[in-house]
Amino acid sequence: LVKRLVREEPLLSDSTKDTLQKMITKLIEKGTDQSSQRFTLYKILRGHQLPLTSCIFNKSGSKVITGSFDRSCRVWDTLSGEELLALNGHCDLIYATALNNPFGDKIATGSFDRIARVWDASTGNCIHTLTGHAKEITCIGFNHFSTILATGSADHTVKLWDVEVGLQIRSMEGHSGEISSLCFSSDGEKLLTGCFDSTAKLWEVAKGRCLSTLSGHGSELKSKQLQEGHRGYISVARFDFTDRLCVTASLDGTCKLWRCAKGRCIETLRNHN
């Protein structure tokens, strides 16, 4: 398993084999542990004045980043619960946050003020202010190499930004609703977006070209239920580890599994009410 992971994941190298093997062994031991496991409240992080919109861990789990209606993003020490940084500068609520894992040195925030900001995760200084969207920014994310930042908006567009210089690379149009989710492939060559128009799209990052629209339609599909695609807004869209499959979750109560190369729905997961 370790050899296969190193072979298929560009970010892993031979030097990480020992660490990876220890992690997998630990997971196996946990999976076979039959003793009851109880989860208890560990910390309450207080500091925001209004409801929170997002929270993420850094790669090691030592820090938590939160975004809020109070227009601030805050960085917390997981162990102590101490507030380390308060990132202020937005004029409206912060709806989306991202951290450039595995590096962990930059934080990105997207706000209803139509602006995205990139921050230094150590000092809290604002590195870049990214303007260009016509409406609220609803989702945000770095590629795995921390070279490109993607922002999705209620203006129906996705924009790509150069992280180093803070300039827009391109704007991708094609959706007819608010962009609700975005996700880079592990090699950074593709971007998956989910939208309130009930479709997901797969994009080529280098050219900004739409490779396929995941709507469930197609003569090659046998099931009428699959052909119909999602009947509600898509809330989340994610690649699997290999980038060969992706999954979309919808407000219609279903998840759909897709084969990326052909844009074909191969399974619909039901049972949520």
Side-chain angles (χ1 to χ4, degrees):
L1 178 58
V2 170
K3 289 180 179 177
R4 182 168 65 84
L5 291 175
V6 172
R7 186 174 61 251
E8 294 181 357
E9 174 52 59
L11 294 178
L12 296 175
S13 63
D14 289 338
S15 62
T16 61
K17 278 186 178 180
D18 290 342
T19 303
L20 188 59
Q21 185 167 338
K22 290 178 182 178
M23 291 174 63
I24 293 175
T25 302
K26 195 171 183 179
L27 286 172
I28 293 172
E29 291 173 352
K30 283 190 173 183
T32 56
D33 184 6
Q34 299 300 317
S35 61
S36 60
Q37 298 182 9
R38 296 186 178 183
F39 295 89
T40 58
L41 178 63
Y42 179 66
K43 291 285 181 185
I44 298 178
L45 309 178
R46 302 186 187 278
H48 286 291
Q49 303 303 312
L50 293 172
L52 275 66
T53 56
S54 59
C55 59
I56 49 175
F57 281 104
N58 66 347
K59 189 70 173 179
S60 66
S62 62
K63 294 179 182 179
V64 179
I65 294 91
T66 56
S68 169
F69 272 76
D70 66 10
R71 307 176 185 180
S72 74
C73 175
R74 298 175 188 266
V75 181
W76 312 81
D77 181 275
T78 305
L79 186 62
S80 66
E82 177 189 359
E83 181 184 310
L84 302 176
L85 295 170
L87 313 181
N88 295 299
H90 283 291
C91 300
D92 207 333
L93 68 93
I94 292 176
Y95 193 74
T97 57
L99 185 67
N100 66 333
N101 285 323
F103 307 100
D105 62 343
K106 292 183 179 67
I107 297 169
T109 54
S111 170
F112 273 24
D113 63 9
R114 308 176 187 181
I115 293 173
R117 294 179 182 269
V118 180
W119 311 79
D120 186 305
S122 299
T123 65
N125 293 330
C126 182
I127 303 171
H128 300 304
T129 299
L130 312 177
T131 60
H133 280 294
K135 291 186 177 180
E136 300 90 340
I137 293 177
T138 51
C139 51
I140 196 166
F142 291 94
N143 68 353
H144 295 286
F145 305 102
S146 191
T147 55
I148 297 176
L149 180 73
T151 54
S153 170
D155 65 9
H156 307 177
T157 71
V158 177
K159 295 184 184 296
L160 301 181
W161 310 83
D162 185 301
V163 174
E164 183 65 27
V165 298
L167 296 177
Q168 181 177 312
I169 300 171
R170 62 181 50 85
S171 182
M172 300 185 296
E173 301 179 3
H175 280 297
S176 58
E178 175 183 313
I179 311 299
S180 56
S181 178
L182 54 81
C183 177
F184 280 98
S185 59
S186 59
D187 60 9
E189 295 180 0
K190 297 180 181 66
L191 182 72
L192 178 67
T193 57
C195 182
F196 277 11
D197 63 9
S198 302
T199 72
K201 288 182 181 290
L202 191 64
W203 307 83
E204 182 183 15
V205 172
K207 298 181 179 179
R209 180 170 60 97
C210 180
L211 300 174
S212 58
T213 298
L214 312 182
S215 59
H217 295 285
S219 59
E220 75 279 3
L221 300 181
K222 298 178 181 179
S223 168
K224 183 176 182 292
Q225 291 178 330
L226 292 181
Q227 289 178 7
E228 292 173 350
H230 283 296
R231 295 183 176 182
Y233 298 157
I234 290 181
S235 53
V236 180
R238 290 290 183 267
F239 284 104
D240 81 331
F241 177 74
T242 67
D243 294 332
R244 290 193 289 267
L245 302 175
C246 65
V247 64
T248 53
S250 169
L251 299 189
D252 64 11
T254 71
C255 282
K256 287 182 179 288
L257 190 64
W258 308 80
R259 199 173 301 282
C260 295
K262 297 183 178 180
R264 183 167 65 90
C265 182
I266 58 176
E267 192 63 67
T268 298
L269 312 178
R270 306 178 186 276
N271 281 338
H272 283 295
N273 296 319

